[in-house]
Structures are given as C-alpha cells and as structure tokens.
Amino acid sequence: NAGVTQTPKFQVLKTGQSMTLQCAQDMNHNSMYWYRQDPGMGLRLIYYSASEGTTDKGEVPNGYNVSRLNKREFSLRLESAAPSQTSVYFCASSEARRAHSSNEKLFFGSGTQLSVL
Amino acid sequence: DQQVKQNSPSLSVQEGRISILNCDYTNSMFDYFLWYKKYPAEGPTFLISISSIKDKNEDGRFTVFLNKSAKHLSLHIVPSQPGDSAVYFCAAPYTDKLIFGTGTRLQVFP
C-alpha cells in the first residue's frame, strides 16, 4: 500500500499563477486534511474533509480552495499564488468519521515544497 | 495564541543517553495528546499518544509523561539512537482541529 500520495513534490510558481496540489490515499480513510508547515510555526490546518462531498475551513484557509472528489482524493487549489503561500504542504488522512477525533492517528504524505516568486 | 508550545527549538544528545522533549499547553479542555516524528523530506509519522486520564504511557524506548496540574507533557527517549534524529511535534486534538506545537529538532550524536 502506498498510503498517502501527494503530487507534485516540488513546484515553483510566479505570483498570480494557479495550480492544484493532488492527494490520494488508499487506506479507505474517511477524513482528509491539508496542512502547511512554515519555519517556527509548526503545522497549520488549511482545510479538511470529514467525508466525501464535505469540506471545512481550518486555521488558515484564505487563498485556497479544496475539493473532495471522492473518498480517495482531496485536492488543494491556489487560484492566484502569492509569495506568502511559499511553504511545505502536507496532505493527511485518518479513519475518523469526525475530523480529528481524540485518539485518531493521522497518516501524512511526503509533502509538496512550493515556492512562489 | 499558541495553545501548544514547544519552547526548545533544538536539542542535542549523545547516543545512549536520555532525550527529553518538552511541551506545554494552555487549554485544560484537551483530552488527548500525540507526538509525531518528522524526518527531512518526509511527512510526520505518529509516534506515541496519551490520554488525559493517564499520567504515563510507554512504548519501547519512548515514554510520554503528562502533568495536568502543570499543563506539561514530556517525551523521554531512552536510550537515544542516531536514527532518532528528527523533528518532534506534540499535538492536541480540539473540536475539529489538531493543534500542533512548533516542533523540537533532536540531534543524537555518537
């Protein structure tokens, strides 16, 4: 099993360009998440989805959109990239039917390093 | 407002000795705590967790201690090994979010 797969691994964008980060999991998990990691900030939740067809905002949703296409896939879109969106992006999934249930472990992808010039 | 704080950005420990990573929190409503480990160019992986009704949980070389009165938890690694060199995040689930600390980079040297 591949677990959580993210593409691409690296991306460089110019300010104003758009792109979609793809994420797929093969563990039949219910909940999926997008985080960003910045130096000195830990991991911050952008958006999450507790089930197919539902999405909710996290701590830092501005400038992003998401789509839970089916149970396996959860994509993150930057419509007009800004330098402040330079970060490492992680997709994660968990079995929980309610996002971030108390003792549910998250399984993370290997990340996408995004630079916006 | 940082509800989960890791005040030590880095820690260096000799192989075979004990590593102690600390985490403080401000929200007394947290009922569970988790530690994740992250290697460079990889995603975080779950390491160990503890319920707020316990004060200790042990898994092999890893032990997490919880002091609710002090709102403090710590991760002990004994003995430390070079393969333990990574960034360690503590985290607490609350409502629909998992709140992460800023991480501590552990380096274990020979």
Side-chain angles (χ1 to χ4, degrees):
Chain A
N1 284 348
V4 179
T5 303
Q6 290 182 235
T7 56
K9 291 190 180 302
F10 302 95
Q11 184 71 49
V12 179
L13 294 177
K14 294 181 180 179
T15 297
Q17 286 185 315
S18 63
M19 78 160 295
T20 300
L21 280 65
Q22 306 287 352
C23 176
Q25 50 91 10
D26 61 3
M27 297 174 283
N28 200 36
H29 283 173
N30 295 297
S31 294
M32 297 186 74
Y33 315 85
W34 277 105
Y35 285 89
R36 60 178 287 174
Q37 184 191 8
D38 302 291
M41 300 289 286
L43 287 96
R44 293 182 294 169
L45 182 64
I46 304 171
Y47 269 94
Y48 64 97
S49 168
S51 62
E52 181 181 346
T54 68
T55 61
D56 287 283
K57 295 179 179 179
E59 301 170 71
V60 288
N62 291 345
Y64 305 95
N65 287 303
V66 290
S67 179
R68 183 78 182 268
L69 303 169
N70 48 56
K71 193 171 186 179
R72 290 187 64 248
E73 297 172 293
F74 188 39
S75 61
L76 177 72
R77 182 160 179 84
L78 287 71
E79 291 290 352
S80 179
S84 61
Q85 294 177 305
T86 293
S87 188
V88 181
Y89 292 85
F90 290 100
C91 177
S93 69
S94 72
E95 286 188 41
R97 293 188 179 278
R98 182 175 67 82
H100 291 132
S101 293
S102 290
N103 61 346
E104 282 290 333
K105 296 184 290 187
L106 266 61
F107 293 80
F108 284 84
S110 57
T112 297
Q113 188 167 326
L114 176 67
S115 295
V116 183
L117 306 178
Chain B
D1 180 31
Q2 194 73 21
Q3 297 190 65
V4 178
K5 301 177 184 179
Q6 294 177 259
N7 293 317
S8 298
S10 64
L11 176 67
S12 188
V13 172
Q14 188 173 31
E15 181 178 4
R17 306 293 290 267
I18 184 172
S19 295
I20 301 176
L21 295 92
N22 295 305
C23 181
D24 296 298
Y25 61 96
T26 57
N27 191 338
S28 58
M29 298 296 290
F30 291 153
D31 61 359
Y32 222 85
F33 300 91
L34 304 95
W35 284 92
Y36 283 82
K37 176 180 180 179
K38 184 185 179 305
Y39 292 118
E42 295 184 13
T45 55
F46 171 79
L47 183 61
I48 192 170
S49 62
I50 187 167
S51 165
S52 62
I53 63 172
K54 296 186 175 182
D55 54 17
K56 177 182 174 181
N57 188 29
E58 189 172 355
D59 183 2
R61 296 186 297 113
F62 301 91
T63 303
V64 57
F65 296 91
L66 176 62
N67 182 334
K68 286 192 294 271
S69 61
K71 295 191 176 67
H72 177 84
L73 64 154
S74 60
L75 174 68
H76 292 213
I77 306 174
V78 184
S80 301
Q81 299 174 354
D84 297 328
S85 297
V87 177
Y88 291 79
F89 293 97
C90 64
Y94 186 64
T95 60
D96 286 339
K97 298 178 180 58
L98 185 61
I99 301 171
F100 282 88
T102 52
T104 297
R105 181 178 301 277
L106 173 66
Q107 182 179 8
V108 180
F109 60 92

